[in-house]
Amino acid sequence: MIKNRNIFTILVVSMLFVGCTDLIDPAQENLRDKNTTYADPNFGLGLLTQGYTRIPTNGWSFSEVATDDAVTNVTTNGFLRLATGQWSASNNAADRWSSCYSGIQYMNIVLSEVEKMTFAEDPLVDNLFKNRIKGEAYGLRALFMYNLLQSHAGWVNGKLLGVPIYLTELNLNSNFNVPRETFNTCTAQVYSDINNAINLLPLDYVDVTNTANIPARYNTTGMTTAIFNRAMGVKFLGLMSGRIAKAIRSQVALLAASPAFADGSANGSNGTWEDAAQYAAEIIALKGGLAGLPSTFNSGVAWYRNTAEISALTAGANSPESLWRAGTSNDNTLEAANFPPTLFGSGNINPTQNLVDAFPDKNGYPITHSSTVYIQTNPYANRDPRLKEFILYHGNTAGVTNAAINMTTGNDAVNVLPTSTRTGYYMKKLLRQDVNYNPSGRNTQMHYKPRIRYTEIYLNYAEAANEAWGSISDPKGYGYTAYDIIKAIRKRALGITTDPYLESIKSDKVAMRALIRNERRLELCFEGFRFWDLRRWKVALSELNTPAKGIIVSGTSASPVYGAPVNVENRIFADHMYFGPIPYSETRKFSNLVQNDGWNN
């Protein structure tokens, strides 16, 4: 299951804390055995680094190309193959098995060895380092388990199973032929690890200026602000923290409460909508309640091109919208892959007509509603501003020259080049329009990848609260409702102070469910959510198999004619594909590792 079962025998150190004077200087050798870690704790910290490098959300997956939101012009894309009939237990673009179990192995080694290490001569500092490192390891282990459940949990003979649980270091003598635990057992283990992380870690990494601000569990005899800051201070921003651990708990609870998993967790305490709402509310409270939701379009919607905020990101600091992020990068990789051909890009991700139609009109009405101001012959006028922000359509502008894109003719039109759109649309979200990819004047700009956004957490609460007690009820006294959150998100996006459509359905739980899911679809599009959301919601199989649609624009650039939507790519999903498979190679090796129903190879 884990290709290198004794990771300690040959490990090249990846340094995490360069320049930290509290850590003993590393030895020169790159090949180390376990005993090395006791004399050289930098080597041990390299094990922790191996966990951070394996976080599945470090990069963009664009799994949307396996949904009704997008297609790709890259014929070898794994998610394209997954969506078009080639998904199998041995060919799985959504597989997280090896990477997450490798991460868990590293965390188990850290937890078993950290107390044997020395991180500073001062015992108070040394103890703080050990506590923090253990907390990080627990939090990362929980994160890996959550991702394993999302990708590989499933039903077997009427029982919802999770994955095998490993809490100790595996070596050549370990028993790898262990059965899968129940989904409930797995979520209970995740919650246990998260609680350990919360108890060991500071809520956030800040330099305290008064001993009264040091958490009581650390404020022992002899503790000073200087000592505390050496191990728990602001220089460790970006590492797993108490706040991040609580956000992961919100994600796990939402998964467990969702329709695809609820039947299997209903007999335990790990899968209620009330739990999911409570855990999201804890994060929202830390953000300042409803008022903490970033309220401006540029901060909350267009965060990826907010130059002032991005330029201010230093040393692990977050923007108002980002709860936890990966590092910044000064590049043009996203633009090179996704700009249209006339901007010298490869046009890889093509939004669908299905997604375009999900954006309401400028007043918040669905475009199929009787009160809409949507005009079929001028389909992009009078629309939700997020449409213009996220999707490049005919006449929309892009690039440093702010040029209008022409879909009627030329290289940006449908299927003209291998790099042209297949749907009549290009992805605009996530891209910096101040990147010039023209070879004669090519430049780069700063980007960052959020691992968790606050908008996700607010949407988690809205979904869970609506399911638990309806959209306008606040039985726990949080000071806001699911309705309040959706109203704030739509006000931020649409710029409207009144929302007649929302008002008309706010007491209708089913209609609010559809609206909340649609707002999640729009707000989080192209960020790797919809593939998993459709499955945890267990939408009708016919919805999973809805063809990806596009549009052909004819006429001239100034006088375009919009044709009827056309099928671009069929989706081929069977009933068992609500749940991903266990890797075929693993089930072949281990007889106790049973496969999810419906999957063979």
Side-chain angles (χ1 to χ4, degrees):
M1 180 181 63
I2 299 174
K3 293 180 180 179
N4 185 355
R5 296 183 180 180
N6 195 357
I7 295 171
F8 253 112
T9 58
I10 48 171
L11 181 66
V12 178
V13 179
S14 173
M15 295 303 300
L16 182 60
F17 303 108
V18 176
C20 181
T21 57
D22 292 309
L23 304 182
I24 297 173
D25 291 336
Q28 297 301 311
E29 295 84 0
N30 282 333
L31 300 180
R32 313 293 181 86
D33 61 20
K34 184 179 291 189
N35 291 331
T36 307
T37 65
Y38 311 141
D40 182 2
N42 276 333
F43 179 77
L45 288 167
L47 298 173
L48 196 61
T49 306
Q50 297 298 321
Y52 285 102
T53 62
R54 285 165 171 76
I55 295 172
T57 53
N58 278 342
W60 302 109
S61 71
F62 295 118
S63 56
E64 288 84 1
V65 302
T67 75
D68 53 353
D69 273 5
V71 301
T72 180
N73 60 24
V74 180
T75 58
T76 58
N77 182 281
F79 280 102
L80 180 152
R81 293 179 173 180
L82 179 155
T84 54
Q86 300 179 61
W87 194 6
S88 70
S90 55
N91 182 22
N92 181 11
D95 182 11
R96 291 171 175 167
W97 191 272
S98 295
S99 62
C100 284
Y101 270 120
S102 177
I104 288 173
Q105 167 77 333
Y106 278 109
M107 296 308 98
N108 287 342
I109 295 171
V110 170
L111 290 169
S112 67
E113 303 298 326
V114 66
E115 289 294 341
K116 303 171 187 175
M117 303 177 193
T118 302
F119 296 94
E121 295 181 4
D122 186 319
L124 287 176
V125 177
D126 187 57
N127 187 58
L128 285 175
F129 268 108
K130 289 175 180 176
N131 281 332
R132 198 201 72 225
I133 290 164
K134 284 188 291 186
E136 290 177 70
Y138 280 122
L140 288 170
R141 190 168 72 179
L143 177 62
F144 291 130
M145 180 62 77
Y146 162 61
N147 279 273
L148 283 168
L149 293 176
Q150 187 181 58
S151 299
H152 301 289
W155 292 86
V156 181
N157 296 324
K159 181 180 290 187
L160 182 62
L161 297 184
V163 294
I165 295 176
Y166 297 98
L167 301 180
T168 58
E169 173 190 349
L170 299 173
N171 57 47
L172 294 173
N173 298 317
S174 297
N175 175 26
F176 288 83
N177 192 18
V178 297
R180 297 166 61 184
E181 299 289 349
T182 66
F183 182 83
N184 252 352
T185 301
C186 290
T187 53
Q189 180 58 49
V190 173
Y191 291 144
S192 175
D193 280 350
I194 288 173
N195 288 337
N196 284 331
I198 292 170
N199 289 333
L200 289 165
L201 295 170
L203 178 66
D204 299 301
Y205 294 102
V206 296
D207 285 343
V208 299
T209 57
N210 190 304
T211 55
N213 300 128
I214 298 175
R217 60 185 180 275
Y218 298 129
N219 210 349
T220 57
T221 302
M223 183 61 64
T224 66
T225 58
I227 289 174
F228 183 80
N229 292 339
R230 284 168 66 183
M232 301 280 192
V234 71
K235 62 185 167 183
F236 299 108
L237 267 174
L239 301 181
M240 177 67 63
S241 67
R243 183 185 299 258
I244 295 165
K246 289 183 177 186
I248 296 168
R249 183 168 61 185
S250 168
Q251 295 173 322
V252 175
L254 191 75
L255 180 76
S258 298
F261 300 93
D263 288 345
S265 57
N267 294 327
S269 60
N270 303 327
T272 68
W273 288 117
E274 289 85 352
D275 288 341
Q278 174 192 334
Y279 294 143
E282 288 187 27
I283 305 299
I284 293 172
L286 294 173
K287 184 65 170 169
L290 184 62
L293 178 74
S295 60
T296 68
F297 191 92
N298 281 348
S299 285
V301 176
W303 51 268
Y304 49 86
R305 62 168 180 82
N306 190 318
T307 55
E309 291 180 356
I310 295 172
S311 298
L313 293 177
T314 58
N318 283 297
S319 70
E321 174 59 22
S322 177
L323 188 151
W324 190 29
R325 65 173 178 86
T328 57
S329 60
N330 190 352
D331 59 30
N332 51 29
T333 306
L334 277 172
E335 292 76 23
N338 294 291
F339 270 171
T342 58
L343 295 181
F344 303 93
S346 296
N348 286 171
I349 306 301
N350 308 153
T352 59
Q353 188 66 46
N354 315 55
L355 176 58
V356 169
D357 289 346
F359 288 86
D361 73 11
K362 66 179 183 179
N363 297 322
Y365 285 104
I367 64 171
T368 56
H369 195 277
S370 60
S371 298
T372 187
V373 294
Y374 165 78
I375 304 170
Q376 189 172 7
T377 56
N378 192 10
Y380 313 124
N382 301 321
R383 297 294 292 274
D384 181 337
R386 289 174 295 189
L387 176 60
K388 182 179 181 180
E389 178 68 32
F390 294 164
I391 296 177
L392 200 54
Y393 50 76
H394 176 78
N396 197 357
T397 57
V400 292
T401 62
N402 203 34
I405 300 301
N406 180 12
M407 302 290 189
T408 64
T409 187
N411 290 342
D412 290 342
V414 173
N415 293 331
V416 174
L417 300 173
T419 55
S420 300
T421 178
R422 298 173 59 205
T423 62
Y425 301 103
Y426 294 93
M427 185 182 77
K428 190 176 182 182
K429 188 179 180 182
L430 308 180
L431 309 185
R432 291 281 300 255
Q433 300 304 314
D434 50 355
V435 163
N436 184 358
Y437 202 63
N438 186 327
S440 65
R442 193 162 287 176
N443 69 341
T444 59
Q445 296 292 354
M446 293 300 297
H447 301 73
Y448 75 97
K449 168 64 172 66
R451 293 186 178 124
I452 303 174
R453 285 176 55 201
Y454 276 108
T455 293
E456 175 196 347
I457 303 300
Y458 280 83
L459 286 166
N460 287 358
Y461 178 83
E463 179 180 341
N466 183 62
E467 298 297 337
W469 45 71
S471 74
I472 57 175
S473 180
D474 180 23
K476 303 296 183 180
Y478 295 131
Y480 52 84
T481 64
Y483 156 82
D484 292 327
I485 286 176
I486 296 304
K487 182 177 181 178
I489 287 174
R490 282 162 65 88
K491 179 181 179 181
R492 178 179 75 183
L494 295 159
I496 56 177
T497 55
T498 59
D499 194 337
Y501 179 70
L502 176 62
E503 295 300 321
S504 71
I505 66 165
K506 65 182 182 181
S507 298
D508 184 334
K509 182 176 182 177
V510 174
M512 280 298 296
R513 175 188 299 144
L515 181 60
I516 290 167
R517 290 181 178 183
N518 196 66
E519 285 298 316
R520 186 178 180 92
R521 179 184 191 179
L522 302 183
E523 286 284 331
L524 304 180
C525 65
F526 308 118
E527 297 183 48
F529 285 88
R530 188 156 177 82
F531 179 81
W532 306 108
D533 283 342
L534 290 172
R535 283 163 174 77
R536 68 177 179 84
W537 291 331
K538 206 166 187 184
V539 301
L541 190 60
S542 59
E543 185 174 346
L544 276 185
N545 283 316
T546 298
K549 297 181 183 294
I551 192 170
I552 303 297
V553 187
S554 58
T556 66
S557 178
S559 301
V561 177
Y562 300 98
V566 295
N567 288 353
V568 173
E569 188 172 276
N570 289 327
R571 297 285 177 250
I572 304 174
F573 293 117
D575 189 63
H576 64 278
M577 294 178 179
Y578 289 105
F579 307 93
I582 305 299
Y584 179 68
S585 59
E586 301 301 309
T587 60
R588 290 282 293 173
K589 285 186 289 187
F590 306 116
S591 59
N592 287 329
L593 191 61
V594 294
Q595 183 59 273
N596 289 330
D597 291 345
W599 296 97
N600 296 312
N601 56 48

